[in-house]
Amino acid sequence: MTLHDYVIIQVDDYEKKKGELYQAEQWKTLPPTGVVLSIGPEVKQVKEGDRVHFLRFGAIDGLKEKERICRERDIISIL
């Protein structure tokens, strides 16, 4: 399978993040974050291991739980 300009991201678990509590309404407005696991050959600005914010509705579920697949253009920022 060729990823082209797609990125596979392991999504952070908000409930376990540094003991901070997020209320349900806050969680809906926070952009998802995660670590880039794999990139396609056409991806130019992101590399494996980068922590990123990405568009919630620009990503689809990956093969494993907590993995999302999105295009490079759906990444908001590199942390």
Side-chain angles (χ1 to χ4, degrees), residues 24-69:
E25 291 301 314
Q26 282 181 311
W27 183 84
K28 291 178 186 177
T29 60
L30 291 171
T33 59
V35 176
V36 175
L37 297 177
S38 182
I39 61 172
E42 297 176 21
V43 174
K44 304 296 181 207
Q45 298 188 9
V46 179
K47 62 183 186 293
E48 292 176 7
D50 282 349
R51 292 190 46 74
V52 296
H53 278 113
F54 60 96
L55 294 174
R56 182 179 311 279
F57 299 109
I60 59 172
D61 290 340
L63 297 175
K64 297 180 183 176
E65 187 179 345
K66 304 261 186 207
E67 281 187 359
R68 301 292 182 271
I69 301 172

